[in-house]
Amino acid sequence: MALRDELLKSIWHAFTALDVDKSGKVSKSQLKVLSHNLCTVMKIPHDPVALEEHFKDDDEGPVSNQGYMPYLNKFILDKVKDNFDRQDFNKMCWTLCSRKNLEQSQLLISNDDAFKIWCIFNFLSEDRYPLNIVTEEIEYFLRKLTEAMGGSWVEERFEDYKLQLDSRQQCLNAWELITVVGSGHFSKGMDRQTLSMGINEVYQELILDVLKQGYMMKKGHKRKNWTERWFRLKLNSISYYVGEDLAEKKGNIFLDGNCTVEPLQDKEGKKCLFLIRSSLKTFEISASDKKKKQEWIQAIQTCVTLLRQGRPAPHREARQKRRELRLRQQAEQEELELRMRELQTANEAKQLELENMRKALEEAAANAAEEEKRRLQTQTELQDRYRMDLEREKMVRQQMEEQVAQKSTELEQYLQRVRELEDMYRQLEDALDDEKRARQDEEAVRKLQARLLEEEAMKRAELEQIHLRQQRAISETEAEKQELERERLAKESALHAAMTQLEHLEQERQGALEQYQVRRDRS
């Protein structure tokens, strides 16, 4: 799957280059030529009628990228094996897309250097289309390029550039990256040859997987003589050539998890010796000095360890870790935003609930006040009626007392009137009882109000607890973000230290090469 993803990036460049009017579609005739060239460079048998059969229901018009993908997967990528020259494949795709997108006259680098930057872009770009390289990978590439040129990384210059980049799009496409390097913005003070050598060194490591290279002496297996060779270390092999131009290859040392490398004592007038034991042969090597000897032993042991553990080359593993870290940070950020939205929604719901409770309490208080008003009005009316009845009774008694002496015959009527008054009195007592019950109802309403107020206080306390929990959640989230930031800073510090050490080692290597050149010139 990793091979398919890498191939698709280069093919995507070629397909989009054929899309002249940027409509997302390419004519069938152009796709036939592209498919034939892909099959040729990837050593796949080409079926000339497969494309026509695949699109037999379509007319002779253009075919979209989505329509071409099923054919590409079925008839080309499903058949591909890792037995072809990747550089030839990339050169073919580069030739198609560079003619349309590259303006060579404005650059300080050659077409070959631009091709190497294009390959590095495909290696470091995200697995999303259209292809782009994010700020972190841009900085990684420019740092390695600066170190390869023997310069010092100027953090402030890149920070200024990153601010400009962030204000626009926060990423670059392949041609923008080539322009950044080719314009010399990050290689000021360096000549074109130094820049070209730096690009080539980064290309050798990231694309060709060359982990270490340099001159050493090798002991022959037949004549037992010592010959100087140019060695190139990759993850699973060490190739050695007559010279560093790689014109004549003399052999390979194949590495696997069972290989060993060990230092040897000086002998036969040779110093700085070490032994490589592979599954097929044993090789005696002589480095130029003890430092180079230790570097080569350490590099080979690292490759053997990675092969034993089934891990990829260090730069490929580091790229995967950076991508996984970005994905984790993106997922954590999305999760944090989701949690914040959930908390905000919960808070809004609680605020709405509190508002509804407040309105309910205000309505209950208004109803209670209205009920109290009606009760007071009823009580006043009863009191007025009772007072009027008392005054009326008093007048009747006075009239009856005045008439008792005069009208004894009217005694029965008077007694009847007294009974009526007694009935009226009982009615007044009933009215008083009603008033007592009204007062009891009033007391019940007051107790209800007190209970509602108490419930409101409890709800407020509960809302305060919820608010405190929200504040703690936000504080914990901030603490997590700070912890992630500290981890990121620590990793950046470790990476910077490693880069500084690598630069120091490279300077020592250059010094050793210069000393070697001086000695060879003297001899």
Side-chain angles (χ1 to χ4, degrees), residues 239-260:
S239 303
Y240 50 94
Y241 303 80
V242 173
E244 58 184 296
D245 57 0
L246 311 181
E248 183 180 354
K249 185 176 182 179
K250 302 300 291 184
N252 289 311
I253 304 173
F254 295 103
L255 304 178
D256 55 33
N258 298 320
C259 292
T260 59

Short mmCIF file of all heavy atoms in Angstrom, two decimals, residues 239-260:
data_model
loop_
_atom_site.label_atom_id
_atom_site.label_comp_id
_atom_site.label_asym_id
_atom_site.label_seq_id
_atom_site.Cartn_x
_atom_site.Cartn_y
_atom_site.Cartn_z
N SER A 239 26.61 -0.90 -1.04
CA SER A 239 27.17 -0.99 -2.39
C SER A 239 28.51 -0.27 -2.40
O SER A 239 28.69 0.74 -1.72
CB SER A 239 26.22 -0.36 -3.41
OG SER A 239 24.94 -0.97 -3.37
N TYR A 240 29.47 -0.83 -3.18
CA TYR A 240 30.77 -0.16 -3.28
C TYR A 240 31.15 -0.01 -4.75
O TYR A 240 30.88 -0.88 -5.58
CB TYR A 240 31.85 -0.87 -2.46
CG TYR A 240 31.97 -2.36 -2.68
CD1 TYR A 240 32.88 -2.88 -3.61
CD2 TYR A 240 31.19 -3.25 -1.96
CE1 TYR A 240 33.00 -4.24 -3.80
CE2 TYR A 240 31.30 -4.62 -2.15
CZ TYR A 240 32.21 -5.12 -3.07
OH TYR A 240 32.33 -6.47 -3.27
N TYR A 241 31.73 1.18 -5.05
CA TYR A 241 32.02 1.59 -6.42
C TYR A 241 33.50 1.99 -6.52
O TYR A 241 34.18 2.20 -5.51
CB TYR A 241 31.15 2.78 -6.82
CG TYR A 241 29.68 2.53 -6.71
CD1 TYR A 241 29.03 2.61 -5.47
CD2 TYR A 241 28.91 2.23 -7.83
CE1 TYR A 241 27.66 2.39 -5.36
CE2 TYR A 241 27.54 2.00 -7.73
CZ TYR A 241 26.92 2.09 -6.50
OH TYR A 241 25.58 1.87 -6.39
N VAL A 242 33.94 2.14 -7.79
CA VAL A 242 35.31 2.58 -8.02
C VAL A 242 35.48 4.01 -7.54
O VAL A 242 36.49 4.37 -6.94
CB VAL A 242 35.65 2.46 -9.52
CG1 VAL A 242 37.02 3.08 -9.81
CG2 VAL A 242 35.63 0.99 -9.94
N GLY A 243 34.50 4.88 -7.81
CA GLY A 243 34.57 6.27 -7.39
C GLY A 243 33.21 6.79 -6.98
O GLY A 243 32.18 6.12 -7.15
N GLU A 244 33.20 8.01 -6.46
CA GLU A 244 31.95 8.56 -5.96
C GLU A 244 31.02 9.00 -7.09
O GLU A 244 29.87 9.36 -6.83
CB GLU A 244 32.21 9.73 -5.02
CG GLU A 244 33.01 10.86 -5.64
CD GLU A 244 33.32 11.95 -4.62
OE1 GLU A 244 32.37 12.57 -4.13
OE2 GLU A 244 34.51 12.14 -4.30
N ASP A 245 31.49 8.96 -8.34
CA ASP A 245 30.59 9.25 -9.45
C ASP A 245 29.67 8.08 -9.77
O ASP A 245 28.79 8.19 -10.63
CB ASP A 245 31.40 9.64 -10.69
CG ASP A 245 32.40 8.54 -11.09
OD1 ASP A 245 32.45 7.49 -10.41
OD2 ASP A 245 33.12 8.75 -12.08
N LEU A 246 29.89 6.93 -9.11
CA LEU A 246 29.05 5.73 -9.24
C LEU A 246 29.06 5.17 -10.66
O LEU A 246 28.13 4.45 -11.07
CB LEU A 246 27.60 6.01 -8.83
CG LEU A 246 27.38 6.73 -7.48
CD1 LEU A 246 25.90 6.91 -7.21
CD2 LEU A 246 28.05 5.97 -6.36
N ALA A 247 30.12 5.47 -11.42
CA ALA A 247 30.16 5.03 -12.81
C ALA A 247 30.36 3.52 -12.91
O ALA A 247 29.80 2.87 -13.81
CB ALA A 247 31.29 5.75 -13.55
N GLU A 248 31.13 2.93 -12.00
CA GLU A 248 31.42 1.49 -12.07
C GLU A 248 31.17 0.86 -10.71
O GLU A 248 31.87 1.14 -9.75
CB GLU A 248 32.87 1.25 -12.51
CG GLU A 248 33.20 -0.21 -12.68
CD GLU A 248 34.65 -0.44 -13.12
OE1 GLU A 248 35.34 0.58 -13.40
OE2 GLU A 248 35.07 -1.60 -13.17
N LYS A 249 30.17 0.01 -10.66
CA LYS A 249 29.83 -0.67 -9.41
C LYS A 249 30.64 -1.97 -9.31
O LYS A 249 30.70 -2.75 -10.27
CB LYS A 249 28.33 -0.97 -9.38
CG LYS A 249 27.85 -1.58 -8.08
CD LYS A 249 26.33 -1.74 -8.12
CE LYS A 249 25.81 -2.30 -6.81
NZ LYS A 249 24.33 -2.44 -6.81
N LYS A 250 31.23 -2.20 -8.13
CA LYS A 250 32.09 -3.38 -7.95
C LYS A 250 31.41 -4.50 -7.16
O LYS A 250 31.84 -5.64 -7.23
CB LYS A 250 33.38 -2.97 -7.24
CG LYS A 250 34.18 -1.91 -7.97
CD LYS A 250 34.60 -2.37 -9.36
CE LYS A 250 35.62 -3.48 -9.33
NZ LYS A 250 36.08 -3.84 -10.69
N GLY A 251 30.38 -4.19 -6.40
CA GLY A 251 29.73 -5.26 -5.65
C GLY A 251 28.77 -4.73 -4.60
O GLY A 251 28.60 -3.52 -4.42
N ASN A 252 28.13 -5.70 -3.91
CA ASN A 252 27.16 -5.39 -2.85
C ASN A 252 27.46 -6.23 -1.62
O ASN A 252 27.94 -7.37 -1.72
CB ASN A 252 25.72 -5.68 -3.31
CG ASN A 252 25.24 -4.68 -4.34
OD1 ASN A 252 25.37 -3.48 -4.14
ND2 ASN A 252 24.68 -5.18 -5.43
N ILE A 253 27.14 -5.67 -0.47
CA ILE A 253 27.14 -6.41 0.80
C ILE A 253 25.69 -6.39 1.28
O ILE A 253 25.19 -5.34 1.69
CB ILE A 253 28.07 -5.77 1.84
CG1 ILE A 253 29.49 -5.65 1.30
CG2 ILE A 253 28.05 -6.59 3.13
CD1 ILE A 253 30.43 -4.88 2.22
N PHE A 254 25.03 -7.53 1.20
CA PHE A 254 23.61 -7.58 1.55
C PHE A 254 23.46 -7.76 3.06
O PHE A 254 24.10 -8.63 3.66
CB PHE A 254 22.91 -8.72 0.81
CG PHE A 254 22.90 -8.53 -0.68
CD1 PHE A 254 23.76 -9.23 -1.52
CD2 PHE A 254 22.03 -7.60 -1.26
CE1 PHE A 254 23.75 -9.04 -2.89
CE2 PHE A 254 22.01 -7.40 -2.64
CZ PHE A 254 22.88 -8.12 -3.45
N LEU A 255 22.61 -6.92 3.65
CA LEU A 255 22.39 -6.92 5.09
C LEU A 255 21.05 -7.55 5.43
O LEU A 255 20.09 -7.44 4.67
CB LEU A 255 22.43 -5.48 5.63
CG LEU A 255 23.70 -4.67 5.34
CD1 LEU A 255 23.55 -3.27 5.91
CD2 LEU A 255 24.91 -5.36 5.93
N ASP A 256 21.01 -8.23 6.56
CA ASP A 256 19.74 -8.73 7.11
C ASP A 256 19.87 -8.75 8.63
O ASP A 256 20.87 -8.30 9.19
CB ASP A 256 19.40 -10.12 6.55
CG ASP A 256 20.52 -11.13 6.77
OD1 ASP A 256 21.21 -11.03 7.81
OD2 ASP A 256 20.69 -12.02 5.92
N GLY A 257 18.83 -9.26 9.28
CA GLY A 257 18.83 -9.25 10.74
C GLY A 257 19.89 -10.11 11.38
O GLY A 257 20.18 -9.99 12.58
N ASN A 258 20.53 -11.01 10.61
CA ASN A 258 21.56 -11.91 11.16
C ASN A 258 22.98 -11.39 10.94
O ASN A 258 23.93 -12.03 11.39
CB ASN A 258 21.42 -13.30 10.53
CG ASN A 258 20.08 -13.94 10.84
OD1 ASN A 258 19.58 -13.82 11.96
ND2 ASN A 258 19.48 -14.61 9.86
N CYS A 259 23.12 -10.29 10.22
CA CYS A 259 24.46 -9.73 9.98
C CYS A 259 25.04 -9.17 11.27
O CYS A 259 24.32 -8.74 12.17
CB CYS A 259 24.39 -8.64 8.92
SG CYS A 259 23.99 -9.26 7.27
N THR A 260 26.38 -9.18 11.31
CA THR A 260 27.08 -8.60 12.46
C THR A 260 28.21 -7.72 11.95
O THR A 260 28.74 -7.92 10.84
CB THR A 260 27.65 -9.68 13.39
OG1 THR A 260 28.57 -10.51 12.65
CG2 THR A 260 26.52 -10.54 13.96
#
